[in-house]
Amino acid sequence: MKTRSILLLMVMSLLSVAAMAQKVNVDWKRGEDFTKYKTYAWGVSPHPIKDPLWNQRIIGFIDDQMTQKGLTKVEPGANPDLIVVYNAGVKQNVSLEGYTMGGWYNSMSTVQQVTTKDGTLVVDMADPTQKMVIWRGTSSDTLSDKSTKNIEKVQKMVKKMFEKYPPKN
């Protein structure tokens, strides 16, 4: 019976790890010629991270990916080909997790409250001449209590988004 309980706990652990994997989605204006975009500037984000350190990190991660994709950052007044903004948020989730150990008799049940934080990042690229968003990347992941782990997660989120830029129509 102990083996069965341990196996059940292992399966539950594996399922919870799979459920916490990063989710990345990209959408774009179909038929758009993305080869014409060479420059970008930052616009004003409606929901940036309030923490200045995290704001700088996110902008830095996106700048790095934009540069790797061959785009050049310019000042907003320099008539950029693209305007880039990001939005980010953290949602707190509270759940109850329980398990039973032992046989039918002499069993012990435990229920505990578990709080997780899910972070979501949205990156939009807009064509200022068309006045519309032409590319959007979204990503979400469960955040850690450790800043270093979160830095790695957010950097990975941004990198995964930009693996799909420019999109293949």
Side-chain angles (χ1 to χ4, degrees), residues 5 23 41 46 59 83 162:
S5 295
K23 296 172 192 76
I59 289 172
I83 300 294
F162 280 89

Side-chain angles (χ1 to χ4, degrees), residues 16 95-99 110-114:
S16 67
S95 63
L96 299 176
E97 293 183 2
Y99 58 90
T110 302
V111 176
Q112 64 184 22
Q113 180 175 318
V114 176

Side-chain angles (χ1 to χ4, degrees), residues 13 15 24 69 83 101 122 124 140 146:
S13 295
L15 289 174
V24 175
K69 295 298 179 175
I83 300 294
M101 293 179 27
V122 179
D124 285 331
S140 60
K146 296 182 171 98

Side-chain angles (χ1 to χ4, degrees), residues 7-22:
L7 183 60
L8 179 62
L9 285 173
M10 287 175 56
V11 169
M12 288 174 60
S13 295
L14 287 173
L15 289 174
S16 67
V17 168
M20 290 188 287
Q22 287 184 340

